[in-house]
Amino acid sequence: MYGGAIEWRAFGGIDFEFSEGKLITPYLGIGFRYWNDEVQDIYGYERETYYWYIPLGFQVISPLIGNWTIGFSMEYDFFL
C-alpha cells in the first residue's frame, strides 16, 4: 500500500484585546491539499484527490500564571 499527501496553507489575522491580556484573533487564508491512495493488491487501484479551500476561523488566548497561556481555536474550511 503506497500513497501520500501534501497540504499547503497560508493565512493571516489581526489580534484584538477584549479583556486584560486576553486576545481574539480572527483569520482568513487559502489552502491546497493533494492526496494519493495507491493500493497494490490483486485488484489494485489508485485514487487522487486535490482541492483548494479557504480557511476561516478565530483563535482565543488567555494568560494564566507566569508565562503560561491557554487558548482554543475554531475553523471552517470553505471548499472552492
Side-chain angles (χ1 to χ4, degrees), residues 2 24 29 31 36 38 53 57 80:
Y2 301 98
I24 185 167
N36 182 314
E38 186 176 340
Y53 62 95
L80 302 176

Side-chain angles (χ1 to χ4, degrees), residues 7-79:
E7 183 169 1
W8 172 88
R9 293 166 37 116
F11 49 89
I14 299 174
D15 292 336
F16 295 99
E17 187 171 359
F18 66 92
S19 185
E20 188 176 324
K22 297 177 184 174
L23 296 175
I24 185 167
T25 307
Y27 61 86
L28 178 68
I30 184 85
F32 175 80
R33 177 176 285 172
Y34 170 79
W35 180 9
N36 182 314
D37 284 337
E38 186 176 340
V39 176
Q40 298 289 326
D41 65 4
I42 195 168
Y43 303 108
Y45 70 91
E46 181 178 18
R47 175 178 56 186
E48 285 187 312
T49 304
Y50 60 93
Y51 52 85
W52 290 90
Y53 62 95
I54 298 174
L56 174 64
F58 67 92
Q59 181 179 37
V60 177
I61 298 176
S62 181
L64 292 176
I65 299 170
N67 290 329
W68 287 85
T69 60
I70 189 168
F72 71 93
S73 61
M74 294 184 70
E75 179 179 300
Y76 183 79
D77 296 335
F78 291 100
F79 292 96

